[in-house]
């Protein structure tokens, strides 16, 4: 069910003083609040845009510095060509004795230690060379997982790096250093310039601390996260060392890899910036919570809110005083109008001002005198009676029913169904005679029921098996009377809406005598039930409000239920009329309740009208 705003909370039902205060809020407080909120959001957005423009440039430069360092490490293999002895050892294919192999390994290992580890380059953790089933190495600390027997690193023609360096992550190799210090391996192929053959494959283990030093040169904010990861999301370096070796599970949801974007919302929102390396298969990332970027803005906003609240309180007090001063005479007028409503017309509104309130007071005094005169002549009742009579006359014969009936007769004539034509013409004649011959407002219940039986029979000819009806007479309908045309509008509605959605419509009419709780006497009750589509809750409420309305003004002549209900209430009293019961999708029951009216009662009502 659609939520409906409570009637008492609608703006038009507020007191005038409340409206003035509310208008003040709408014209001052709310615009100022919106302006402050808009300014704050715009400032926050500008900060995001600045970070989005600045941070990718920073990451690009940091990426370039890291790449340069990695390229420098990758060129360390050229130092081996400074020693003819080392080149000669690497060119050697075979050994005549184990001692000669051990001697070569000793010389190469010492050369690696002197050249790479003892030259003041603290970022190099170790150097490893694989050459023709030989393994040479030198490291700053103990290591495990890498030797000549279990090495997966090929060399020679099996390794085609085309002069480029390759980055190997710890997850791709079993090499582990003492204290589990994080590292990356830079693999480079060593080629013999003279004979254009591969001499060896060199791996340089580099500490990741150099990356931290580069990044800290650009970013000093401890609240930000910086990390380096490959395309699969494996984290090579992170400012939080515990995350090194883990995975960034959201990498596949990143919209871009070169630029900035916002992730999350509210207090959990973060600005993420990414920069992709052109030389190596990695991505440099920066992330900072948005709340840390807007800390100063939040402080200014809190101070502004405090000042704004003080301003609202002061101006609200002023507006309340002004509103009460303006509405005091109007409240007095309202109290006097209630006295008039209760029938006390000896009132006099005295307002000495010459403004609109004073003019309203003078108009009120004049209006009270005029209303008193109109009520004495009972003008309102006569108008409502005329309206009811007019709508009753207009709803007696439905033009569409006449057209459809004549069309059905025409089709029956073309089909040669003379019996049906005679029957329908006879029934239609009876209906017309009933409509125009009896000028009284009351008719015998038997005549009203016979009229509706004729109507349903004609509709039965039109719709054949689609329409079924039953009339159950549980009381003596010959001796009692009813207002004219109270059944046909109801049954017309049932047929109109029922056959739109149902293949077959069943209508049942019952007439009985029942005790009326509101009247305190025995009443005549008409119950019209159909198995049509029913009425939904909102529509049912609207119809019930319409039935409770006293006037027929602005209502369509086809608005059958309201027409019938209004005529019964005016003619017979407020305790009688129409009731609705409906279940959406199952059917509708219309109950028409009237008093027990005899022939003597009809005569008395007619005599009273003539007088």
């Amino acid at each position: 069910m659609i939520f409906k705003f409570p009637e008492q909370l609608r703006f038009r039902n507020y007191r005038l003083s409340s409206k003035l205060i509310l208008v003040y809020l709408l014209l001052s407080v709310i615009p100022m609040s919106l302006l402050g909120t808009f300014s704050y959001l715009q400032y926050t957005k500008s900060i995001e845009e600045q970070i989005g423009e600045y941070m990718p440039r920073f990451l690009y430069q940091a990426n370039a510095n890291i790449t340069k360092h990695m390229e420098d490490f990758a060129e360390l293999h050229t130092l081996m060509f400074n020693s003819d002895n080392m080149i000669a050892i690497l060119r050697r294919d075979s050994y005549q004795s184990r001692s000669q192999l051990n001697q070569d390994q000793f010389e190469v290992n010492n050369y690696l230690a002197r050249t790479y580890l003892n030259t003041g380059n603290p970022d190099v953790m170790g150097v490893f060379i694989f050459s023709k089933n030989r393994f040479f190495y030198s490291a700053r600390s103990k290591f495990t997982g890498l030797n000549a027997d279990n090495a997966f690193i090929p060399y020679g023609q099996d390794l085609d790096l085309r002069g480029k360096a390759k980055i190997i992550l710890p997850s791709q190799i079993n090499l582990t250093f003492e204290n589990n210090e994080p590292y990356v391996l830079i693999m480079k192929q060593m080629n013999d310039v003279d004979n254009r053959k591969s001499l060896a494959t060199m791996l340089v283990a580099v500490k990741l601390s150099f990356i931290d030093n580069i990044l800290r040169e650009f970013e000093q904010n401890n609240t930000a996260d910086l990390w380096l990861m490959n395309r699969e999301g494996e984290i090579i370096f992170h400012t939080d060392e515990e995350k090194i070796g883990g995975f960034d599970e959201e990498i596949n949801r990143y919209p871009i890899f070169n630029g900035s974007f916002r992730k999350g919302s509210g207090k959990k929102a973060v600005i993420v910036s990414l920069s992709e390396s052109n030389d190596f298969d990695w991505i440099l990332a920066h992330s900072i919570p948005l709340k840390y970027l807007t800390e100063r803005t939040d402080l200014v906003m809190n101070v502004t809110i405090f000042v704004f609240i003080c301003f609202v309180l002061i101006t609200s007090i002023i507006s309340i005083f002004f509103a009460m001063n303006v509405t005091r005479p109007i409240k007095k007028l309202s109290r006097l109008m209630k006295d008039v409503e209760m029938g006390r017309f000896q009132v006099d509104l005295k307002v000495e001002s010459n403004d609109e309130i004073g003019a309203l007071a003078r108009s009120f005094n004049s209006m009270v005198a005029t209303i008193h005169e109109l009520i004495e002549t009972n003008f309102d009742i006569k108008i409502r009676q005329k309206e009811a009579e007019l709508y009753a006359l207009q709803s007696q014969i439905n033009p569409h029913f006449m057209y459809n009936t004549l069309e059905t007769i025409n089709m029956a004539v073309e089909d040669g169904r003379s019996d049906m034509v005679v029957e329908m013409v006879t029934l239609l004649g009876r209906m017309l005679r009933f409509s125009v011959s009896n000028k009284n407002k009351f008719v015998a219940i038997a005549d009203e029921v016979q009229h509706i039986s004729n109507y349903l029979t004609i509709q039965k000819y039109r719709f054949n098996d689609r329409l079924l009806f039953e009339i159950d007479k549980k009381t003596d309908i010959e001796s009692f009377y009813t207002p004219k045309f109270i059944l046909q509008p109801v049954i017309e509605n049932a047929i109109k809406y029922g056959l739109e959605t149902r293949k077959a419509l069943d209508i049942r009419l019952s007439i009985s005598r029942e005790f009326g709780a509101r009247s305190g006497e025995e009443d005549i009750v008409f119950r019209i039930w159909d198995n049509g589509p029913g009425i939904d809750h909102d529509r049912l409420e609207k119809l019930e409000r319409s039935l409770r309305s006293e006037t027929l003004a602005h209502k369509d002549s086809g608005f059958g239920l309201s027409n019938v209900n209004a005529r019964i209430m005016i003619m017979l009293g407020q305790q009688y009329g129409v009731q609705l019961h409906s279940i959406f999708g199952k059917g509708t029951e219309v109950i028409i309740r009237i008093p027990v009216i005899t022939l003597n009662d009809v005569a008395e009502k007619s005599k009273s009208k003539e007088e």
Side-chain angles (χ1 to χ4, degrees):
M1 183 180 70
I2 300 176
F3 174 75
K4 289 189 175 181
F5 202 66
E7 184 69 22
Q8 63 272 20
L9 296 181
R10 294 186 177 181
F11 182 78
R12 65 170 179 265
N13 297 325
Y14 287 7
R15 294 179 178 271
L16 181 58
S17 57
S18 301
K19 290 180 179 179
L20 292 174
I21 297 173
L22 191 58
V23 168
Y24 158 74
L25 294 175
L26 292 174
L27 297 180
S28 59
V29 176
I30 294 179
M32 293 177 63
S33 302
L34 294 176
L35 179 61
T37 303
F38 178 76
S39 300
Y40 173 77
L41 294 176
Q42 284 296 110
Y43 183 76
T44 302
K45 183 179 179 181
S46 66
I47 291 178
E48 291 186 37
E49 292 176 351
Q50 291 175 8
I51 292 295
E53 294 176 0
Y54 155 74
M55 192 54 62
R57 290 198 296 267
F58 147 68
L59 294 178
Y60 176 81
Q61 185 60 44
N63 229 337
N65 289 1
I66 294 173
T67 300
K68 184 177 182 304
H69 278 71
M70 298 296 284
E71 290 175 348
D72 291 341
F73 291 129
E75 293 301 319
L76 289 178
H77 75 284
T78 59
L79 298 178
M80 293 292 293
F81 292 95
N82 294 336
S83 172
D84 295 336
N85 187 30
M86 293 298 103
I87 297 301
I89 293 175
L90 294 178
R91 287 174 176 172
R92 192 171 296 160
D93 294 330
S94 60
Y95 294 91
Q96 296 181 356
S97 63
R98 180 68 182 178
S99 61
Q100 188 178 4
L101 173 61
N102 293 337
Q103 179 64 30
D104 286 351
Q105 288 180 333
F106 177 77
E107 291 182 9
V108 174
N109 291 346
N110 284 338
Y111 183 81
L112 294 176
R114 293 193 310 271
T115 305
Y116 294 100
L117 303 182
N118 299 330
T119 55
N121 193 342
D123 294 326
V124 177
M125 298 175 62
V127 181
F128 310 91
I129 296 177
F130 293 92
S131 176
K132 302 172 183 177
N133 297 324
R134 295 172 298 176
F135 178 58
F136 308 101
Y137 69 91
S138 179
R140 294 185 185 274
S141 60
K142 295 180 180 180
F143 65 90
T144 58
L146 189 64
N147 53 56
D149 296 332
N150 63 1
F152 75 98
I153 305 299
Y155 65 94
Q157 298 301 323
D158 295 331
L159 181 64
D160 188 11
L161 297 180
R162 298 183 181 180
K164 295 183 179 180
K166 181 178 180 181
I167 305 299
I168 300 177
L169 303 181
S171 61
Q172 299 172 323
I173 194 170
N174 293 326
L175 177 62
T176 304
F177 287 94
E178 192 175 23
N179 299 327
N180 291 321
E181 191 168 1
Y183 69 93
V184 293
L185 284 176
I186 302 175
M187 182 171 66
K188 194 66 179 289
Q189 190 174 17
M190 297 176 60
N191 295 319
D192 193 341
V193 179
D194 295 338
N195 54 29
R196 296 183 180 180
K197 292 184 178 181
S198 175
L199 291 176
T201 299
M202 176 180 285
L203 287 83
V204 180
V206 180
K207 293 181 181 179
L208 294 179
S209 57
F210 84 94
I211 299 179
D212 185 60
N213 295 333
I214 293 174
L215 296 179
R216 292 306 176 189
E217 292 178 1
F218 292 90
E219 177 61 60
Q220 301 295 330
N221 195 336
N222 294 327
T223 61
D225 288 331
L226 285 161
W227 69 95
L228 188 68
M229 59 184 172
N230 62 12
R231 280 285 187 173
E232 288 72 34
E234 183 179 358
I235 298 176
I236 303 171
F237 169 80
H238 200 291
T239 50
D240 184 358
E241 293 185 359
E242 295 182 356
K243 295 183 179 180
I244 296 177
F247 284 85
D248 186 348
E249 297 179 353
E250 298 185 3
I251 188 171
N252 293 326
R253 292 192 289 270
Y254 289 156
I256 55 176
F257 290 108
N258 283 290
S260 299
F261 58 90
R262 181 173 181 172
K263 183 178 71 173
S265 60
K267 294 183 179 180
K268 295 183 179 181
V270 296
I271 304 299
V272 179
S273 301
L274 303 174
S275 178
E276 188 177 20
S277 173
N278 295 326
D279 300 293
F280 297 98
D281 193 21
W282 68 46
I283 300 170
L284 185 59
H286 176 275
S287 173
I288 184 170
L290 183 60
K291 62 180 180 180
Y292 293 120
L293 298 175
T294 59
E295 284 181 341
R296 295 183 180 179
T297 307
D298 293 340
L299 176 61
V300 174
M301 182 185 69
N302 292 334
V303 174
T304 303
I305 290 175
F306 175 76
V307 175
F308 175 72
I309 291 175
C310 295
F311 169 78
V312 170
L313 290 176
I314 295 173
T315 55
S316 296
I317 293 173
I318 296 174
S319 66
I320 291 172
F321 175 78
F322 174 75
M324 297 300 294
N325 187 51
V326 171
T327 58
R328 190 178 296 111
I330 299 177
K331 290 182 179 179
K332 183 178 179 181
L333 173 61
S334 177
R335 289 195 298 270
L336 293 179
M337 291 182 70
K338 289 182 179 179
D339 291 339
V340 173
E341 183 181 1
M342 298 300 295
R344 296 188 290 269
F345 295 97
Q346 304 303 320
V347 296
D348 185 16
L349 179 61
K350 296 181 179 180
V351 178
E352 298 179 356
S353 63
N354 293 323
D355 57 7
E356 289 82 356
I357 301 298
L360 180 63
R362 290 187 291 272
S363 299
F364 171 75
N365 293 330
S366 176
M367 181 187 66
V368 169
T370 303
I371 291 177
H372 183 57
E373 181 181 355
L374 292 176
I375 291 179
E376 287 181 347
T377 59
N378 209 7
F379 180 78
D380 181 66
I381 295 178
K382 291 184 178 180
I383 290 296
R384 290 199 293 132
Q385 288 178 339
K386 293 298 181 182
E387 288 178 342
E389 291 172 359
L390 176 61
Y391 280 98
L393 180 61
Q394 291 177 343
S395 63
Q396 287 180 5
I397 299 297
N398 188 328
H400 294 287
F401 167 72
M402 293 292 295
Y403 299 154
N404 293 330
T405 302
L406 293 175
E407 182 65 22
T408 304
I409 293 173
N410 181 45
M411 294 174 62
V413 170
E414 292 179 355
D415 294 340
R417 301 167 66 182
S418 58
D419 294 340
M420 177 179 172
V421 171
V422 171
E423 178 70 15
M424 291 188 68
V425 170
T426 302
L427 293 174
L428 184 59
R430 291 175 183 174
M431 290 185 64
L432 293 174
R433 187 180 304 110
F434 178 78
S435 299
V436 300
S437 62
N438 194 341
K439 302 299 183 180
N440 294 327
K441 291 184 177 180
F442 294 91
V443 296
I445 296 177
D447 294 338
E448 179 77 6
V449 171
Q450 182 60 49
H451 174 72
I452 202 61
S453 177
N454 295 337
Y455 172 78
L456 286 170
T457 303
I458 292 176
Q459 295 288 34
K460 173 71 174 177
Y461 278 120
R462 283 187 59 206
F463 298 106
N464 297 324
D465 294 337
R466 293 191 62 197
L467 177 64
L468 300 175
F469 70 90
E470 178 184 348
I471 299 178
D472 185 10
K473 307 166 188 175
K474 299 180 180 179
T475 185
D476 181 13
I477 64 175
E478 300 288 343
S479 304
F480 303 112
Y481 288 76
T482 178
K484 193 176 181 181
F485 288 109
I486 64 172
L487 297 179
Q488 182 176 337
V490 178
I491 293 179
E492 279 183 356
N493 282 343
I495 294 175
K496 176 182 177 182
Y497 295 107
L499 291 179
E500 287 180 354
T501 57
R502 292 285 190 266
K503 293 183 178 180
L505 179 67
D506 187 7
I507 297 178
R508 300 175 188 172
L509 168 63
S510 67
I511 307 99
S512 61
R513 295 175 66 175
E514 300 178 8
F515 178 78
R518 296 181 63 183
S519 64
E521 299 176 356
E522 197 171 33
D523 300 332
I524 299 294
V525 178
F526 299 90
R527 297 181 184 273
I528 301 98
W529 175 88
D530 68 80
N531 64 339
I535 307 173
D536 63 73
H537 182 75
D538 294 340
R539 175 64 176 165
L540 188 62
E541 286 187 351
K542 184 177 179 181
L543 287 174
E544 289 175 345
R545 287 196 300 270
S546 177
L547 291 177
R548 292 193 295 268
S549 177
E550 293 185 359
T551 180
L552 295 175
H554 308 298
K555 290 183 179 176
D556 195 333
S557 62
F559 204 83
L561 294 179
S562 297
N563 180 281
V564 171
N565 186 67
R567 286 194 290 126
I568 292 175
M569 292 176 66
I570 291 173
M571 296 170 65
L572 303 176
Q574 299 289 330
Q575 65 270 35
Y576 302 104
V578 177
Q579 291 179 311
L580 278 175
H581 300 287
S582 182
I583 300 177
F584 186 67
K586 292 187 177 181
T588 303
E589 182 183 40
V590 180
I591 301 174
I592 302 175
R593 184 179 295 273
I594 63 173
V596 175
I597 303 173
T598 63
L599 181 59
N600 293 332
D601 296 328
V602 173
E604 290 180 2
K605 291 180 183 293
S606 300
K607 182 179 180 181
S608 175
K609 179 181 178 183
E610 291 175 358
E611 292 176 355

